Amino acid sequence: MKIKLSILISVVCFLLTSCKSNEDNEAGKTSYGKVEVAFSVNLPQPEPVHVYTRTGTPYTDTDIKNMDVLVFDKDGKFMNRYKVETADLGTIVGGVSFSVRLDATPDRRIIHLVANGRTPDGMTDRLNFASLVPGASELAAISSLQTASLSTVNTGAGTLLANVMPLVMWGRSVLNGISVVTKAEGVKLLRAAACVQVRKGSAQAGNGLSDLTLEGITVHNGACHGFLAPADCTGGVATPGIAHPATDGPYLDYQKGWSNGTEPILYIYERNCTKTDYMSVILSAQYKGQLGYYKIVMTDAQGTPVNIVRNHRYIVTITQVSGPGYADVQTAVTSAPSNSLKVELTDEDVDFPILVADGQYLMGLSNNSFDLYRSEERR
């Protein structure tokens, strides 16, 4: 009788313990092992602009071909990298969704998301992920991630476009524990590059635009590599006002940065600028059938070239032309901005008013109106 009673008590205790364990797992309180964590990411949506590589393969600045999930522990120490392939990405309005199997834990986890950190086929890293080591601090690890320099890459005039697309993007999220009910929805991503686009305004009597045909653009002294995240990579995800970090050469060879078209667009890695070290845009265009090259430098009202900052779209609109550009691109690169060209510039990020120099004037953009300022000659 005592033996039977002991067995009965043991069975009851086992059943009660099993029920309790199941209840806790269902509530997501004490899950063990790995669980699926659902993510969704959002991109700031610019006006639709399509960019094509020199081989004709289309990429837009919202394309996401793969994701990498970098996990840091509650103390901000690097733990693991998880890869998400194209086939595992779902399309949603304004972004993508996916899930990753992560270790369940009641502790906080810091998540950094990297879009397009590998080639579109997912086989080759585009960032130096190999530099990540377990235990590295969040700031040190994320700040160090960057693309390979294009200073040693040369596939012709379209080298920049072929290597910068699809755009590398970054986002950050904090999870207060991981369980079967954990989700990270609406994580904001920032593009690691800036966009420059040149357009022609409406042709009117006296502005000469009917005689101008745009052919392409490149940049002089543009950055030849980019960093994954802005300098503030351990806080909220927001478009910065300065580049990360302060950039000094070597710069991209302008002969490798060409993007062709009647409304040419290029994407360039960010860099900070000074009065003696800045990026300029070189425009190739036909004026009355004569090919020429025009130089455009973007500056503020004090004549200081503006920083080229990630996730910004700088749209240069030509409003007037009075003559051909420089005879060759080398002359344009080393000369002052073209006096025969008048332009307006807008920045898609309305939080950061931008100004532009056209050689004779500085046009300050504020509250959608332009004020003109006389400028000194700049080379």
Side-chain angles (χ1 to χ4, degrees), residues 125-375:
D125 287 347
R126 299 172 67 199
L127 300 171
N128 56 327
F129 287 117
S131 67
L132 295 176
V133 294
S137 72
E138 179 186 10
L139 178 61
I142 299 302
S143 295
S144 68
L145 290 177
Q146 57 189 289
T147 67
S149 174
L150 296 180
S151 61
T152 58
V153 179
N154 191 348
T155 55
T159 298
L160 172 62
L161 193 59
N163 285 272
V164 77
M165 302 298 290
L167 298 178
V168 173
M169 310 176 201
W170 164 83
R172 181 181 185 271
S173 179
V174 177
L175 304 178
N176 293 316
I178 295 177
S179 71
V180 293
V181 297
T182 300
K183 293 182 180 180
E185 298 180 323
V187 180
K188 180 181 178 181
L189 295 184
L190 294 182
R191 301 167 182 86
C195 173
V196 177
Q197 179 177 13
V198 178
R199 300 170 172 173
K200 190 171 68 171
S202 300
Q204 299 176 2
N207 69 6
L209 295 185
S210 60
D211 297 319
L212 186 70
T213 303
L214 309 188
E215 293 193 350
I217 56 174
T218 186
V219 293
H220 179 235
N221 285 345
C224 64
H225 77 286
F227 287 82
L228 168 64
D232 181 8
C233 61
T234 60
V237 178
T239 301
I242 60 174
H244 168 238
T247 307
D248 52 8
Y251 294 124
L252 179 74
D253 182 348
Y254 64 85
Q255 298 180 82
K256 298 191 291 188
W258 285 103
S259 176
N260 299 321
T262 55
E263 287 192 357
I265 306 163
L266 61 76
Y267 290 85
I268 185 70
Y269 296 118
E270 64 180 354
R271 59 153 298 179
N272 291 313
C273 299
T274 67
K275 287 186 176 182
T276 58
D277 184 9
Y278 55 89
M279 189 191 87
S280 59
V281 178
I282 307 298
L283 167 68
S284 170
Q286 298 261 358
Y287 177 71
K288 294 184 177 181
Q290 179 179 345
L291 178 63
Y293 299 88
Y294 300 86
K295 182 176 183 178
I296 301 169
V297 179
M298 296 177 285
T299 75
D300 62 20
Q302 288 71 47
T304 302
V306 299
N307 298 325
I308 307 303
V309 182
R310 69 179 60 224
N311 214 56
H312 285 245
R313 184 186 295 271
Y314 305 99
I315 303 175
V316 178
T317 302
I318 301 170
T319 60
Q320 183 178 342
V321 60
S322 58
Y326 292 105
D328 56 78
V329 65
Q330 293 84 0
T331 302
V333 164
T334 58
S335 299
S338 303
N339 287 336
S340 58
L341 204 67
K342 299 295 183 296
V343 301
E344 293 179 353
L345 181 131
T346 56
D347 181 353
E348 187 176 66
D349 193 320
V350 296
D351 293 331
F352 298 95
I354 298 297
L355 303 95
V356 66
D358 64 5
Q360 287 188 327
Y361 297 99
L362 299 173
M363 293 177 284
L365 174 59
S366 178
N367 299 323
N368 298 319
S369 64
F370 284 89
D371 297 315
L372 301 184
Y373 305 90
R374 191 71 180 180
S375 77

